[in-house]
Amino acid sequence: MRWGGRPLVPLLLLAATCLLWQLGAYGLWESTEARYAEIAARMVRSGDWMTPRLNYIAHFDKPPLTYWVTGAGMLALGLTELGARIGLVAAALAILVVVHRWTAEVRGERAAAYAFLCLLSAPLFFALARSVTTDLYLTLWVVLAIDAGRRGSRPGAARGWRLLAWAALGAGFMTKGPVVLLWTALPAAVWAGWTGSWRRLGRLADPWGFLFTLAIALPWYLGSLARHPALLDFWLGRQTVGRVLAPYEGEREPLWTYLLVMAWAAGAWVFPAAIEIARGARRRVGGEARRRGRRGERAPYLLFWVLVPLAAFSLFPTKRANYLLPVLPAVAIAAGAWWARAGEGTGAVGVSRVVAAATALLGAGLFVAGSLVDGVRASLPEKLVALGWSIGPVFVLGGAAAWLAAGRRRFDLAFAGCLIPLLGLYLAGYTALADPRVESHFKISRPLARAAAAHHTGEEPIVAYHAWPRALPFYLDRRLITVTGAGRETAFEDDPRWRRYVFTADTAFYRMARGDRRALFVIPRGEHARIEARLGAPLTVLAATRRELLVTNRPSPSERDRVPRPVPALRAPPR
């Protein structure tokens, strides 16, 4: 896996190519990616980098580091999707480099290359490395903090590693708040308690490092609290304790949810990773440590990095797949170590064939859905259906090749047979997503924004009724009037003008729709007929996506003639 003596060069070129592929070709996903991009764009446009604003209204749900990185990308590449996402690619490549360096040190360069590729191709990692959220940036700080802490806790280690660990912890606070401790301090404390390694953990206690954390994490919090003292209760009560104790928006999943989520978040690599982690735990905890009479002295840290956050987040009533992202580097390191030693132990053929079978079954499912299931073919855009019948056979062939290669103990070829279809699916999928018809099928508001820009005369308001497309203010650079105010936090907004743009009663919508003034409205697709019945007059449909419509109450003659009615129906799959 070397090229010119630099084993990382070809891997980084591959990763950069995959992550940059069509990065700015599709619109912002609703609602998370659109929210972060709009807040960052508002910072760039206003010049106020201290107060996050969503649709011009102060929004303190998260610390601002993700907004700042996203805004920096927009300053460099413009107020575009590419500018919003380019920071993710840099962060993803940095994570991959740290994982490679870590694995190369403890398991060798062959294992490091496998770990790099396992993480790159993990479905959750690849998806969130192309979607603007806090999670990928948080994962970078978690990986840096753990790796620097691992190096800095060794006897005689350079102080710079300890300072880097503390600085990464501060950056984590500025990305997602104190929850960063659940991926860093909590696993370290459990590991030290289990192994009796308090002395090694104690080497990280550096006064200057603690000051580094405070210098990075506190200024913005203190400045915001000085302006809005009620933020303390908002952050600690609603955003921290409230998320832990109460289900978010009524969501409540069972304790075992993350076991299923991990199965697809890491892809088929979860099988060899689980075996490697269990093998290390048995060998180190049950073998040498027992002979020495000390409980788990050499227990592998990867075990705690994965299981402790998994157990902690399983106790929360709301469980999101993205919460698992910071543990995927540990899964990739373990999977890489397994693939590197696959030819040395027993059972490797069976495990490789499990991965190969999972790959082939996924391909068969894609092919059947894209070619034979009428409901799927009727309800999805043609380019998405084509992914099934075109990419599905590639998975089947890759899985079959991996199965045969494993039987011949060519585990490098078995790995390639499973990796190549995955990367091909990602690249083909994001290519298809650039098609406006595919965009309209998903939670992407760019088609509506383009239609609104085309039909907007510069005077009429744009109103969102029982819908909240956060991307519209980003694309249109104008304030969106919201009716019902779903998801709006207004307690920290100093400018009282927000009251003219946020309404909680339907009467505001019907007053605007019946008035003589022309307006553009974004409404849920399913409410179109009910709204027209209550108005007693038709609304002209200007654009339609799978979930929402752009309509107007006062169409121009050209709109009345050119825009088809009634609302185009969506073909739903049979029940």
Side-chain angles (χ1 to χ4, degrees), residues 368-381 385 441 546 570-575:
V368 169
S371 303
L372 304 177
V373 180
D374 292 336
V376 173
R377 297 173 64 190
S379 61
L380 293 180
V385 175
H441 185 81
R546 182 174 177 80
L570 282 177
R571 292 185 294 171
R575 295 185 178 180

Side-chain angles (χ1 to χ4, degrees), residues 448 451 455 520-521 523 525 528-529 532 538-545 548-553 555 559-560 562-568:
L448 289 182
H455 291 276
L520 302 179
F521 301 93
I523 63 174
R525 192 182 189 106
H528 178 256
E532 286 193 330
L539 293 170
T540 298
V541 178
L542 305 177
T545 66
E548 295 163 340
L549 302 173
L550 178 71
V551 302
T552 184
N553 57 341
E559 289 172 339
R560 192 180 297 112
R562 289 164 47 195
V563 177
R565 287 185 50 83
V567 177

Side-chain angles (χ1 to χ4, degrees), residues 446-471:
R446 188 167 69 170
L448 289 182
R450 287 172 171 169
H455 291 276
H456 194 262
T457 64
E459 299 294 334
E460 68 269 32
I462 302 176
V463 184
Y465 172 70
H466 286 277
W468 187 191
R470 279 103 168 142

